[in-house]
Amino acid sequence: LQHTYQGRSMNNSFVMSDGSESLVEAIGRGGSADDNLFDTIVGHMEDVVIAPEFEHINREFLQKHCHEFDHSEENKIIYTILFQQYTSTIEKYLEAELSKRMPGFSMQRFSELLRTRHDQISSDILDLLTSLGDFLQFKEVMLDCKDNGFDRSSDLDMELAVSSMPIHSG
């Protein structure tokens, strides 16, 4: 199979932007090189978001910060600060974990692939990737966490993560 990454290709490997090669572990479903790359990234992303470490990051953030939120119509500055911290934390974690699994991984390249493949990704992962930029959803989950006294935090972890991430292309 021919696999392409950042414009260059080799058989059964990706040539990374730094010129190094990375063997592809689970490719061969057919389709184009871009399809195979996309499938590989999504597979790794699914592994990352179901891992206990990812759940821990979400739970810890919720428990540490949900007390800051209240049901008033006013959105306090701290909400925006916390939203930005959460978004940054999750995006950096995802990118770091994907880079460990795929040296040379590029979120920008993945974003480009995702734009034409929304129907080729699980709804949970797509929700995660598209809603990290959704402040109102973030506030709602934080309020839900506060209102329920953390007893639903493991359910909320994935709900927040899976409903919270815009892919930034630059």
Side-chain angles (χ1 to χ4, degrees), residues 93-137:
Y93 180 79
L94 286 173
E95 191 156 8
E97 289 299 310
L98 290 169
S99 292
K100 286 180 194 175
R101 290 164 171 77
M102 295 181 69
F105 168 77
S106 165
M107 188 62 83
Q108 182 175 355
R109 178 70 176 124
F110 178 62
S111 297
E112 292 166 6
L113 294 170
L114 182 60
R115 284 186 187 101
T116 59
R117 292 171 173 79
H118 288 121
D119 61 337
Q120 298 175 22
I121 189 169
S122 75
S123 61
D124 287 343
I125 298 296
L126 184 60
D127 288 346
L128 168 66
L129 297 175
T130 58
S131 62
L132 262 178
D134 189 339
F135 172 79
L136 294 178
Q137 173 111 23

Side-chain angles (χ1 to χ4, degrees), residues 31-168:
S32 71
D34 283 348
D35 289 341
N36 290 334
L37 175 59
F38 181 79
D39 290 346
T40 299
I41 294 169
V42 170
H44 287 304
M45 188 170 291
E46 288 171 345
D47 292 342
V48 169
V49 301
I50 64 170
E53 296 84 8
F54 189 76
E55 181 180 335
H56 175 75
I57 289 169
N58 284 305
R59 178 179 294 119
E60 182 178 34
F61 194 92
L62 290 169
Q63 291 175 342
K64 185 175 180 181
H65 300 292
C66 72
H67 71 277
E68 298 282 353
F69 290 77
D70 61 46
H71 288 280
S72 71
E73 290 294 316
E74 177 187 352
N75 288 321
K76 300 173 185 174
I77 291 176
I78 188 67
Y79 299 177
T80 302
I81 293 167
L82 291 172
F83 174 67
Q84 290 169 344
Q85 286 175 358
Y86 180 79
T87 300
S88 177
T89 299
I90 295 300
E91 288 177 345
K92 286 178 183 174
Y93 180 79
L94 286 173
E95 191 156 8
E97 289 299 310
L98 290 169
S99 292
K100 286 180 194 175
R101 290 164 171 77
M102 295 181 69
F105 168 77
S106 165
M107 188 62 83
Q108 182 175 355
R109 178 70 176 124
F110 178 62
S111 297
E112 292 166 6
L113 294 170
L114 182 60
R115 284 186 187 101
T116 59
R117 292 171 173 79
H118 288 121
D119 61 337
Q120 298 175 22
I121 189 169
S122 75
S123 61
D124 287 343
I125 298 296
L126 184 60
D127 288 346
L128 168 66
L129 297 175
T130 58
S131 62
L132 262 178
D134 189 339
F135 172 79
L136 294 178
Q137 173 111 23
F138 172 78
K139 182 180 176 184
E140 180 182 314
V141 171
M142 294 301 276
L143 287 169
D144 198 23
C145 180
K146 180 180 179 178
D147 293 346
N148 289 296
F150 307 123
D151 57 343
R152 287 190 51 228
S153 64
S154 64
D155 293 336
L156 290 172
D157 292 342
M158 192 55 145
E159 182 181 327
L160 178 60
V162 168
S163 33
S164 302
M165 177 177 160
I167 297 183
H168 300 288

